[in-house]
Every structure is written in structure tokens, then in C-alpha cells.
Amino acid sequence: MIHPFDLNLRHLRALVSVVALRSLNRAAEAAGLSQPALTQGMAKLERQLGVLLFDRHSGGVEPTLAGEALAERVERAFGHLAAAVRRQGRAGTRGFSRPEQLMTATQLQAFLHFADAQGFAGAALASGLSQPGIHRAVRELEQISGQVLAERRGRGMALTPAGRAMARGVRLASGELAAGIAEALGEAHPATRIAIGAMPLSRALVVPRAIAHFLDDCPGTVVDVIEGSWRELIDPLLDGVIDVMVGALRETPPSDVEQVPLFTDRLSVFARKGHPLAGRRVELAELQAQSWVVGPQGTPLRAHWQALFAGDPPPVPVECGSVMVIRGLIMQSDLLTLLSPDQISVELDAEMLVRIDVDLPGSVRTIGLTTRRGWRPTQAQQRLIDLIHLASHETRLHENQ
């Protein structure tokens, strides 16, 4: 499988010029290369990928669909690198107006290892590269970008704000190049990987149903399901580690994400079978005298729960974001909880847990998809998103029958 940084970034930049100008001569001049060097670079890219990027003819060259797809992703990748430099208000060194064009794949790969390990020794151990080589790559990127990317703190090293911005830009650039490789190779592309961030209190039925259908449609593709709270998942999403998040939408999301509603979910109060409140109509005031296990502060579910009690919430001896733990607690105690019925459907069907009969004002939340603003999914990613939409629709139809 081809790693994005196995490809020469200078050749990829030249590819963009060839696609735009439809001429090796003019592209070589624009890229600052000789025509033989450019020709050799394009031929090397084609050998590495195993596809033709251009059709050659007497009047010049015409990019293939693979060449156009890869070139578009390359432009987006360098856009992320440029944004990482601009974000800190610097224009780079050496009087060069586009410092990202001086960066090499070796430097970027070594810097990501350093960023992940937060140190040269750990980066060397994880990557197999030498510590001096990683140190040199980080310092070269600092010179190119005109920014201090790492600083010593105590006995270790840590990324500066500029370093964190650079790491995010490099990860996003790597993701764009990986998408470009996948689109260029099309059906010939080997197994790919898609990462979904699943909030623990999101609907339990939709994502598994969508993934099951997806694996039938796209055999060989690996789907990573990364569970966490919104706060735990948002930075990996913005870094490009996660492709899409599924869960409760925020009323005021960050400006660099986009939210797409899937369905509304009505929350209910649940308890163990035989709970003192089970089997009869309950007033909201009675719930205030009970002890609860609910999600942590700052989550939409906790906000819904607090709103029920008008600023005077009952005791919460346990705060927990794990549905598995919550289920176990309420089955073995008199604690109450607020959840979606789908999250405990097995226990409800087995009558191990019961719904408390009470009217809950404002207990509806919106479940949906969260992606980076401007993100463009690959064909496989879009297929999975389409299946999530379809699974949401099928679930609503089943509930209404």
C-alpha cells in the first residue's frame, strides 16, 4: 500500500502544473525544472502508482481522470500546509512567499512522528528513523516556516502553538494525498481505511447497520470506530485522524465544522425492573427525590437532564459517559438514568430494564453527522455516509410502524 509521503512532493507539485498547462515544456518552466527532469518525475509517479496520469500526443499532454483526481487533491494538500503557516501570521523565511513548496515528504513524515511521540527518542523508536535525522527535519521545517515548532519543557519536548498548527496541517495534507491516491487508482486501489468518531450516547442501531451494509459493498475496506465524547473526538476530527463524527449535534458548533442532521431522538428515564417508580404514572417532581447516573458536565445529554429540573437538579453520585457501565449500575441499584431507548433496546426487550412513565419536556435532541468544513469525501467515504443516512431513514420507518 502506498503511503502519501512515499511520493516526491516536488513531483506532485509539478503534476499540478502539467494538468493546468497541458504542456510538459510550460510545466517544467513553471516548476523550475528541466523538461527531462520533469518527464522523469512524472514517469516515476506513474510507476509508483501503477496508473497513467497523462495521455501523450504531438500537441502536448492530456491528463487522464486519474491525473486530474490526484492533481486536485495535491492542490488541497498544499493548501493545508500553507494554512498551517499562515495561521501563525508568518510568511516563511528566505524571502519565499510560499514556504510550503520548500517542504519535503521526508521532513513532514519525520515531523509527524515527532508530534505523535512528543520527543525525538520516542519518534525514533516508533518510526525506525534516527534521532539526529528527526531532529534535523524538525529544525529544517522551523527554518522554512519561520516558526518555532517545538520547545523544551522540563526533561522533554513539546509542540508550540505553531507546532500544533503545523502538525494539523501535515495530517490534513497527508489525508488529502491518501484520498488522491485512492481516487487515482479507483477499483485497483487496495484496502483503504475509514475512521468514524462515535459518541457514546449516539444512537446504537444506525452506525452498526450502515457499517454492515458498507462492508458488503466495499470488501477489504477497514472501518475504525473510535468511541469518545464530543470533546475527545473534535480535535482528532479537525486533525484528519477521524473522517466523520456521529452523535448529538451542538447548538453552537465551532466555525470550522459542518453539521448535518440525521434524525431526532426522544430521551426517556430508565430504571431496573422492580424499581419503586416502575409500573405507574410518575410526576416530574418525584424524580427530583431520586439519585441518578448521568453523563459528564458539558455533554448535550447532561444539559437535557439539568433542564428537566429548572436549576435544582437531584443528586448524581455517579457521572459516566459509558452506556455499558450505566446499564450495569441501574440494573443493580435504584439509580435512574436518562438515555435513548435504542441504547438499551436489548435490556428493554428482555425486561431487565424498564421505562419510567413520566412526561419529559424538551427531551428531544438532534443526532447527526459532523465533518470538517470543506472536507471532500472519497467515493468510499461518501458511500458510508449515504448508508448512514439510509440506516437512519430505515430506523425511523421501523419505529413508526
Side-chain angles (χ1 to χ4, degrees), residues 82-395:
V85 177
R86 289 197 306 269
R87 194 170 291 123
Q88 300 301 318
R90 302 291 184 87
T93 59
R94 307 183 192 181
F96 198 72
S97 61
R98 300 189 65 184
E100 71 278 2
Q101 294 196 3
L102 294 175
M103 300 173 184
T104 68
T106 300
Q107 292 166 345
L108 298 182
Q109 190 166 29
F111 178 71
L112 272 191
H113 285 303
F114 170 78
D116 290 338
Q118 292 284 291
F120 295 110
L125 184 64
S127 66
L129 303 173
S130 69
Q131 286 193 50
I134 295 173
H135 188 278
R136 182 170 57 253
V138 173
R139 297 311 173 205
E140 288 171 348
L141 280 182
E142 289 184 325
Q143 292 178 356
I144 291 170
S145 65
Q147 304 170 357
V148 177
L149 302 178
E151 60 188 7
R152 184 165 296 282
R153 294 183 187 172
R155 296 184 177 180
M157 298 292 295
L159 294 178
T160 63
R164 290 192 294 272
M166 180 64 72
R168 174 169 291 178
V170 175
R171 288 190 184 97
L172 293 174
S174 176
E176 290 290 353
L177 294 179
I181 293 169
E183 291 173 347
L185 297 185
E187 294 182 357
H189 190 247
T192 56
R193 186 175 293 269
I194 299 175
I196 297 178
M199 297 179 218
L201 298 177
S202 63
R203 176 162 280 185
L205 300 179
V206 170
V207 171
R209 180 178 294 177
I211 292 175
H213 289 308
F214 176 79
L215 295 179
D216 289 337
D217 293 349
C218 302
T221 299
V222 176
V223 180
D224 283 337
V225 180
I226 303 168
E227 189 177 39
S229 67
W230 187 90
R231 289 180 178 178
E232 293 169 331
L233 296 175
I234 187 62
D235 280 338
L237 176 79
L238 295 176
D239 283 344
V241 176
I242 291 172
D243 298 308
V244 60
M245 286 166 52
V246 185
L249 300 184
R250 264 38 187 181
E251 291 185 5
T252 55
S255 60
D256 43 4
V257 304
E258 295 180 345
Q259 297 187 149
V260 177
L262 291 172
F263 52 84
T264 56
D265 186 40
R266 184 170 295 278
L267 301 169
S268 298
V269 176
F270 296 98
R272 65 172 176 83
K273 184 179 180 181
H275 189 280
L277 298 184
R280 65 179 178 85
R281 184 70 171 173
V282 174
E283 297 299 324
L284 190 59
E286 294 181 80
L287 300 182
Q288 211 150 6
Q290 303 295 316
S291 293
W292 293 70
V293 50
V294 292
Q297 293 282 355
T299 63
L301 192 64
R302 181 64 173 260
H304 280 292
W305 178 82
Q306 289 174 327
L308 294 176
F309 302 103
D312 185 21
V316 181
V318 181
E319 292 186 353
C320 181
S322 168
V323 176
M324 182 179 296
V325 174
I326 291 173
R327 287 187 308 222
L329 279 171
I330 60 176
M331 281 193 290
Q332 300 179 57
S333 70
D334 282 341
L335 291 171
L336 299 180
T337 194
L338 184 70
L339 288 176
S340 163
D342 283 342
Q343 293 172 290
I344 53 172
S345 59
V346 174
E347 290 80 2
L348 290 176
D349 290 342
E351 298 184 347
M352 299 166 66
L353 298 176
V354 296
R355 188 196 310 254
I356 301 300
D357 185 8
V358 61
D359 286 333
L360 297 180
S363 61
V364 176
R365 60 180 181 167
T366 301
I367 305 299
L369 302 173
T370 303
T371 60
R372 296 183 301 279
R373 187 170 297 279
W375 177 66
R376 206 192 80 188
T378 63
Q379 184 176 356
Q381 291 165 343
Q382 185 60 57
R383 178 58 181 157
L384 181 54
I385 289 173
D386 291 342
L387 287 170
I388 291 174
H389 280 278
L390 180 60
S392 301
H393 179 67
E394 290 175 346
T395 301

